[in-house]
Amino acid sequence: MAFNDLLGPADTIASVLVPVAVPGAYTYRVPAGETVVPGTIVKVPLGSREVLGAVWDVEPDTGIDPKKLKYISRVYTHARPIDADLRRFVDWVANWTLAPPGMVLRMVLRSEEALEPEAPVAGVRWVSGRQPDRKTPARARVLDILGDGLAWTKTGLAHAAGVSASVIDGLLAQEVLEVIEMPAAPPPPQPQIDYSRVALTPAQQVAADGICGCFEKGPSVSLIDGVTGSGKTEVYFEAIAEALRRGKQALVLVPEIALTEQFLRRFEQRFGTYPAEWHSEITPKTRVRVWRGVANGEVRVVIGARSSLFLPFLDLGLIVVDEEHDTAFKQDDRVSYSARDMAVVRGHLSGFPVVLASATPSIESRVNADQGRYLRFLLPDRASGAALPDLQAIDMRVEGPERGRWIAPALLSAIRHVFAEGDQTLLFLNRRGYAPLTLCRTCGHRFQCPHCSAWLVEHRFQKRLVCHHCGHFEKVPDTCPSCSSKDTLAACGPGVERVAEEVADLFPQARTLVLSSDIQGGPDRLRREMKIVEEGGADIVIGTQLVAKGHNFPKMKLVGVIDADLGLAHGDPRAAEKTFQLLAQVTGRAGRVTGGGRGFLQTYAPDQPVIRALLSADRDAFYAAEIDARRAAGLPPFGRLVAIVVSGPDKGLAEAYARAVLRSAPPAQDLTILGPAEAALAMVRGRHRYRLLALAPRRFDLQAYIRAWLSAAPRPVKGLRLQVDVDPQHFL
DNA sequence: AGCACGCCGACT
DNA sequence: GTCGGCGTGCTC
């Protein structure tokens, strides 16, 4: 102690962001002989453990008692310090999302192992001239491979020679082979800019040229707005090629891992090699390799989930956000952020182009483009020349099926036709299970979730009633729990299982397949089934939104939407937008490759704007109508929508708190509370969440406002979480 | 008494 | 986010 005090005043101090939920950086002493700069990655003692952190400031002004300061326990000299751009990004995201900066930094430091210097690989080599005592065939094969004098890894050699590792061990024991240190793993193969260029359509060429022209101009956002099959990927591949040409790295964000496989193949066709992948499912080894490669610049292109935004790129020059409208870009737990919006921010901070691509852009991106903040490139036709599917509505009030059936006669005859031709049909219903509601015919009892207020959905295959909100499930009873009568429970409405039952009844000879997220057997099974559909091994597919994304189904000629109104009923202000996006994606599957596709939308309200927009393929009209509708409802079309999510065990407290935040201290009058919306009350793993929607004026600094409110709160608020959901365009 | 479990605050 | 402290309540 006395020793430390003596040395203390001479020590350098540094503020370090630690990966815990504290409001700011902590201060540590820098051990004598070590140098740190802003961004240096370090290990520091925190409480009873050691944690990773990063130096955020050197020699900060702090009022902390110097006696309290501990020493940085390790400086990662081999890892490149986090550069100024990424540090600014971390701070920006922390401020925007009201998250502690250390928690944002945690997303950067995702692989502790990657910070260690790369370990040399042990290899084996033939000691020239040496021969084994007996030359068995296995030994001969090994020596044959090693004949050129090059070193191999033990496992690699065993594999190549088709022998077990013990053969090599035997040769090592006789000192015919020797162990040497090989240089660490060679750099990954580089994408070749001109490996295989495809001819672009005129519209694609205009878009590609426009985006490539942005690289000179500093920050920019381009929206590629193209119908399904219009070749958005080819366009942004040209942007990637341009980034590579300029020696920059590129990042492609996709909403789900499921979409990467097809992307990897297409990338390989264009650039001759695979890009690096980054998402939660990659192996720890790959994680280390990619993190290092991104940091040292050997990895040129990454495709990844939202977390790849926080990778420490050496020189990032382009971000592409594919399917930009997809809500999977929003992270809801821990630091809650929208990866699409934060991609725009990262591009802005570092001064490079960002490309958003979608067949059904989000309203906010459309408005940003309309108002000139984004460039917009329209791809109105399919690149293959195939015609868009011919869509029509079926008015269920006048031409619906008989009671207890869900497929209308018009759709039915179309399925018959397509089936007879040997082509595929997709029946789309975004509802898992057999029936969304079960009731007792005698007393009218309805099965409801004991935790949420949602109806329990019958899953007949599993013989369960399941809450799709919180995951609660129970056995299907024989008798009504309310009136005890036997065999009086009636299933109301369809789920995919029930539609599949109807299909099996109507088309006993057809090969049918149900694709929904609750199929048993994990992601492998799902991949296999997708492949079956892709290769034409199923005639009629009944699927939930799982089938809306990614995969190409070349034989799919007909898409029937069983309930096009589903999802429009609730109080979600984005319901129409989401339904439009989902149904456009789903119906776009029909005839995507070959053309000649047809689609049917079963609806009880064929005149509503969503249906009309889908039928006329006039998307502009839909966007205009939707923007008007939001204005009329007092909602902004985009941009100033603020959702304050407060979570905690007590709904009443959460609501009161959310309202108080928005109403208390000035300038609260600048905010308009719109009331609870979008999942007003949900149960997420046993925790209630309450979401309050409000409007903030364009330049209103909501973050500063909420922080001020929190510090002025009469009593500390516990157990509650805040989340701000705003399009940041206006704030850049 | 001894310990499993859950809540709460501290962590530089 | 994670740990340790301390309270409650139950048992080999």
Side-chain angles (χ1 to χ4, degrees):
Chain A
M1 267 300 164
F3 189 66
N4 268 355
D5 287 346
L6 228 112
L7 289 174
D11 280 339
T12 319
I13 57 166
S15 59
V16 175
L17 277 193
V18 287
V20 295
V22 291
Y26 278 176
T27 313
Y28 289 85
R29 296 177 187 210
V30 180
E34 298 276 12
T35 30
V36 297
V37 297
T40 302
I41 300 170
V42 294
K43 192 161 241 188
V44 291
L46 183 70
S48 59
R49 63 207 167 105
E50 299 233 301
V51 295
L52 273 187
V55 172
W56 227 238
D57 196 7
V58 179
E59 296 289 354
D61 293 327
T62 62
I64 304 286
D65 175 8
K67 285 202 190 64
K68 215 178 159 183
L69 299 186
K70 295 178 180 175
Y71 277 95
I72 289 172
S73 48
R74 179 162 174 203
V75 178
Y76 286 90
T77 43
H78 286 275
R80 195 169 54 84
I82 297 168
D83 61 42
D85 278 10
L86 185 50
R87 293 202 308 278
R88 275 213 295 161
F89 182 58
V90 167
D91 285 333
W92 207 100
V93 173
N95 178 59
W96 185 256
T97 60
L98 293 166
M103 295 304 289
V104 181
L105 177 72
R106 223 173 73 94
M107 302 194 284
V108 177
L109 304 175
R110 284 296 295 274
S111 174
E112 187 168 349
E113 217 192 308
L115 303 171
E116 303 291 347
E118 214 170 330
V121 180
V124 292
R125 189 171 59 177
W126 192 357
V127 184
S128 57
R130 296 275 178 86
Q131 289 295 333
D133 49 3
R134 274 179 302 129
K135 202 157 186 177
T136 63
R139 286 175 173 183
R141 282 203 299 278
V142 170
L143 294 178
D144 190 41
I145 288 171
L146 292 175
D148 56 8
L150 293 176
W152 285 67
T153 62
K154 224 197 251 186
T155 46
L157 178 59
H159 198 80
V163 302
S164 78
S166 60
V167 174
I168 294 159
D169 286 335
L171 290 167
L172 281 167
Q174 290 186 25
E175 296 181 355
V176 176
L177 306 185
E178 62 179 349
V179 176
I180 55 152
E181 279 197 354
M182 295 207 303
Q190 300 297 301
Q192 293 164 250
I193 294 164
D194 296 312
Y195 179 78
S196 148
R197 305 191 62 167
V198 289
L200 299 181
T201 66
Q204 284 176 319
Q205 193 63 54
V206 167
D209 292 345
I211 294 165
C212 290
C214 288
F215 281 84
E216 297 290 344
K217 298 190 306 203
S220 67
V221 182
S222 301
L223 176 65
I224 308 177
D225 179 353
V227 297
T228 326
S230 62
K232 295 179 285 293
T233 314
E234 283 74 27
V235 172
Y236 70 68
F237 275 175
E238 291 318 300
I240 293 171
E242 183 60 24
L244 294 173
R245 222 169 267 135
R246 290 164 179 270
K248 302 283 186 179
Q249 291 165 294
L251 167 65
V252 179
L253 290 177
V254 287
E256 305 186 45
I257 332 159
L259 298 184
T260 57
E261 219 174 289
Q262 163 187 311
F263 178 90
L264 294 177
R265 281 201 298 268
R266 293 179 73 176
F267 190 90
E268 203 260 346
Q269 283 165 15
R270 171 65 181 79
F271 293 102
T273 182
Y274 286 138
E277 270 181 86
W278 184 268
H279 48 73
S280 58
E281 316 265 285
I282 55 174
T283 63
K285 219 175 128 191
T286 314
R287 182 172 294 270
V288 169
R289 217 178 29 237
V290 174
W291 200 93
R292 277 197 190 125
V294 161
N296 67 25
E298 282 175 355
V299 166
R300 307 307 300 166
V301 182
V302 175
I303 173 169
R306 52 183 184 234
S307 60
S308 43
L309 257 184
F310 295 92
L311 283 168
F313 289 92
L314 181 67
D315 193 7
L316 186 60
L318 172 73
I319 303 179
V320 175
V321 184
D322 202 1
E323 309 292 349
E324 68 87 25
H325 64 278
D326 201 299
T327 48
F329 285 120
K330 285 186 180 177
Q331 172 157 86
D332 243 0
D333 60 337
R334 294 185 198 98
V335 180
S336 91
Y337 66 97
S338 158
R340 184 245 289 151
D341 293 345
M342 294 307 109
V344 171
V345 170
R346 194 162 181 189
H348 188 89
L349 293 177
S350 297
F352 60 70
V354 173
V355 173
L356 310 180
S358 176
T360 52
S362 58
I363 298 278
E364 59 268 23
S365 292
R366 257 303 284 264
V367 175
N368 280 326
D370 287 348
Q371 298 184 351
R373 274 181 297 274
Y374 293 174
L375 297 168
R376 177 165 172 233
F377 299 102
L378 200 60
L379 307 177
D381 304 305
R382 284 180 162 174
S384 61
L388 285 164
D390 171 27
L391 300 185
Q392 63 188 88
I394 296 176
D395 187 342
M396 296 292 270
R397 293 167 305 187
V398 295
E399 38 179 351
E402 59 186 280
R403 219 178 134 77
R405 296 278 181 167
W406 317 100
I407 303 171
L411 176 54
L412 198 57
S413 70
I415 300 172
R416 277 208 186 93
H417 180 76
V418 166
F419 179 50
E421 299 279 305
D423 288 320
Q424 240 170 13
T425 295
L426 168 66
L427 295 179
F428 175 77
L429 177 61
N430 200 13
R431 198 190 278 126
R432 288 146 51 214
Y434 187 82
L437 169 67
T438 306
L439 55 77
C440 171
R441 273 190 300 258
T442 307
C443 72
H445 173 81
R446 294 164 167 218
F447 285 83
Q448 211 169 10
C449 176
H451 306 298
C452 329
S453 41
W455 304 130
L456 293 175
V457 180
E458 181 184 354
H459 285 238
R460 196 159 275 196
F461 188 68
Q462 299 173 66
K463 300 187 175 60
R464 280 177 177 174
L465 296 169
V466 181
C467 172
H468 285 182
H469 236 128
C470 71
H472 165 88
F473 62 87
E474 51 196 68
K475 235 184 97 222
V476 181
D478 309 323
T479 55
C480 171
S482 175
C483 69
S484 307
S485 22
K486 229 172 153 43
D487 300 325
T488 58
L489 302 182
C492 299
V496 278
E497 288 180 14
R498 197 169 196 178
V499 174
E501 185 183 82
E502 186 173 338
V503 168
D505 185 41
L506 293 165
F507 297 92
Q509 14 25 323
R511 296 164 300 170
T512 64
L513 193 62
V514 177
L515 285 178
S516 83
S517 59
D518 47 21
I519 63 162
Q520 305 294 302
D524 281 345
R525 163 97 185 271
L526 189 63
R527 214 165 294 147
R528 278 205 307 279
E529 312 237 296
M530 288 284 190
K531 198 149 184 168
I532 291 174
V533 180
E534 216 168 300
E535 288 165 356
D539 302 311
I540 303 174
V541 181
I542 301 101
T544 60
Q545 60 177 0
L546 217 70
V547 295
K549 296 175 181 176
H551 298 81
N552 259 331
F553 302 126
K555 295 195 64 125
M556 199 161 274
K557 279 289 175 63
L558 172 66
V559 173
V561 177
I562 300 296
D563 183 356
D565 308 325
L566 190 69
L568 289 167
H570 307 295
D572 182 349
R574 292 195 237 253
E577 179 189 356
K578 286 178 182 164
T579 301
F580 174 70
Q581 286 159 349
L582 185 61
L583 296 187
Q585 300 275 351
V586 171
T587 53
R589 316 260 108 196
R592 176 168 176 169
V593 177
T594 52
R598 293 182 76 190
F600 289 85
L601 304 166
Q602 298 191 154
T603 173
Y604 284 88
D607 287 331
Q608 61 193 317
V610 175
I611 304 294
R612 286 220 305 265
L614 288 163
L615 294 183
S616 63
D618 184 356
R619 302 171 324 132
D620 287 352
F622 170 71
Y623 281 95
E626 183 58 18
I627 290 164
D628 281 352
R630 289 190 188 185
R631 287 224 174 86
L635 280 163
F638 77 107
R640 294 172 295 166
L641 194 60
V642 179
I644 294 197
V645 177
V646 187
S647 62
D650 182 340
K651 181 198 165 200
L653 180 65
E655 174 169 358
Y657 179 67
R659 286 189 174 277
V661 166
L662 289 175
R663 209 174 34 206
S664 63
Q669 59 272 28
D670 290 350
L671 286 175
T672 314
I673 300 174
L674 302 169
E678 288 196 70
L681 170 64
M683 288 277 297
V684 178
R685 285 191 207 93
R687 290 216 138 197
H688 290 277
R689 298 164 84 239
Y690 182 79
R691 189 179 286 230
L692 191 70
L693 211 65
L695 288 184
R698 179 178 284 207
R699 288 282 170 189
F700 184 74
D701 188 347
L702 187 80
Q703 283 75 18
Y705 171 64
I706 290 175
R707 261 187 253 281
W709 190 89
L710 281 170
S711 60
R715 62 193 162 86
V717 190
K718 289 183 278 188
L720 300 175
R721 218 165 51 95
L722 273 162
Q723 177 183 320
V724 179
D725 178 3
V726 199
D727 174 11
Q729 285 323 299
H730 289 287
F731 299 84
L732 289 170

